[in-house]
Amino acid sequence: AGLPHLAVCDQPTTGGVWVTVASRADVRIAVDRAVVGFAGPRVVEALTGTMPEGSHRADTAYAAGLVDVLADGPAVEAVLVRALDQLVAAPRPVTATPGAAADRDPWAQVLATRAAGRGAGRWTRELLDDGAVPLRGGDPTCGGWLGRLAGRPVVCFTLGAEPGDAPGVGGYALLERCAGLADRLRLPLLTVCDTPGADATSPSENAGLAPAIGAAMAALLRCAAPTLGVLLGEGGSGGALAALATDRLWLAADSYFAALVPEGAAAALKTTPQDAAARLRLRPSDVATLPVCDGILDADDAVGLLAGQLDELSALPDRLRRRQQRWA
């Protein structure tokens, strides 16, 4: 029906109710100290002979990224009001401010990008109006929000909350969730990326990193709502591309976008990172010549430009086909 689904998990929320009603809601709120989990604690103890300390609790579900907000009973109403407010606010007029990129040596651009260290999670949160509601996953390197950009209701996702973050399976699952939420509610989706690439460790690989990236990118490409991407810092490999295959893509002046992080490309090409950076044509001024990039963003004054982009995209006909052709 295209309606928001908010779930409050009170004492207790278990079994099929947790499976079908609560765990897949758009916004998941748990009452502090409530029992939350699939099998009730007594059932678990009867079947397994033990009940691990801390299992099936609201706070542990929150820590695992299974619920978005943990609140005591009296605070739940305020959380619900805040969440619903993100869906119905009216936009306010803003002005747009495009940025400019310095014409640096490619390797100097990589170093400048890493030195900028804005912190995409904090930057995205400051971009939104007050009252944004977090959407959590199981990966601290990524974050989601249901909020407003200059009064416009949006779903936001950050891939790489802090400089150097390498997202894992849980991060891409959250991106898939955010894209699905935006698609179903027809809310614009804003994605912000700063990562040298996805987590390359064996545990992440064996947990299904590749299909998780593919599923997230597919969800982004088929999202019927307007999608807007910002490369705030590093943009390495398919790990970054998964969050940036959007209707419009803007690059911060201190950013780079490459098929592979320069050190990885250097290993593959048997050359130096400096030479690899030059061959990758990764600077914003290079990427801006490609039809998948819409321009260079002033990251310190981005609200006006991004809000204007969302207004344009909302009125753009045949948007989904254009996006899929663009990234094909």
Side-chain angles (χ1 to χ4, degrees):
L3 297 174
H5 175 192
L6 287 72
V8 177
C9 304
D10 208 338
Q11 167 69 15
T13 302
T14 58
V17 174
W18 172 241
V19 170
T20 62
V21 177
S23 68
R24 291 175 58 81
D26 300 325
V27 179
R28 305 153 194 174
I29 304 162
V31 177
D32 198 14
R33 294 180 293 279
V35 171
V36 177
F38 174 50
R42 287 187 298 247
V43 175
V44 172
E45 190 169 13
L47 294 176
T48 67
T50 183
M51 185 62 208
E53 178 64 28
S55 182
H56 293 71
R57 292 195 327 221
D59 60 330
T60 53
Y62 175 80
L66 300 176
V67 297
D68 301 310
V69 180
L70 185 66
D72 60 26
V76 168
E77 182 178 355
V79 174
L80 288 169
V81 169
R82 184 173 134 219
L84 291 170
D85 185 55
Q86 307 310 309
L87 300 166
V88 296
R92 64 172 187 266
V94 291
T95 56
T97 307
D103 190 19
R104 299 186 180 102
D105 169 82
W107 181 243
Q109 179 70 29
V110 174
L111 298 179
T113 295
R114 293 170 178 171
R118 288 189 178 90
R122 181 175 62 257
W123 184 87
T124 306
R125 184 63 192 85
E126 291 173 352
L127 196 71
L128 299 176
D129 299 348
D130 292 340
V133 175
L135 304 172
R136 291 168 54 83
D139 187 338
T141 70
C142 299
W145 290 272
L146 180 64
R148 288 175 286 164
L149 177 66
R152 294 153 179 79
V154 293
V155 178
C156 287
F157 172 78
T158 298
L159 186 73
E162 297 295 336
D165 275 349
V169 172
Y172 293 101
L174 181 59
L175 171 56
E176 184 179 4
R177 176 188 169 192
C178 288
L181 174 60
D183 177 57
R184 194 171 57 78
L185 300 184
R186 296 299 189 264
L187 290 176
L189 175 64
L190 172 65
T191 63
V192 180
C193 178
D194 181 5
T195 180
D199 179 25
T201 64
S202 292
S204 189
E205 180 73 27
N206 294 337
L209 181 65
I213 292 174
M217 187 183 295
L220 184 61
L221 285 169
R222 67 172 175 259
C223 176
T227 60
L228 179 59
V230 174
L231 179 58
L232 188 67
E234 294 191 82
S237 189
L241 181 62
L244 297 176
T246 48
D247 293 316
R248 299 276 173 85
L249 174 60
W250 288 79
L251 275 61
D254 289 326
S255 70
Y256 75 82
F257 199 15
L260 187 59
V261 67
E263 292 88 343
L269 297 172
K270 299 182 180 178
T271 185
T272 65
Q274 292 83 351
D275 177 61
R279 294 167 69 175
L280 284 166
R281 292 183 54 80
L282 47 67
R283 298 172 301 179
S285 56
D286 298 320
V287 182
T289 65
L290 303 175
V292 296
C293 178
D294 295 282
I296 298 166
L297 179 76
D298 181 353
D300 296 322
D301 190 16
V303 172
L305 186 141
L306 297 178
Q309 290 285 290
L310 291 180
D311 290 344
E312 289 181 25
L313 287 171
S314 296
L316 186 67
D318 208 13
R319 187 177 54 244
L320 189 59
R321 182 186 61 82
R322 290 169 184 255
R323 182 196 311 151
Q324 293 174 344
Q325 285 183 339
R326 176 187 226 204
W327 290 100

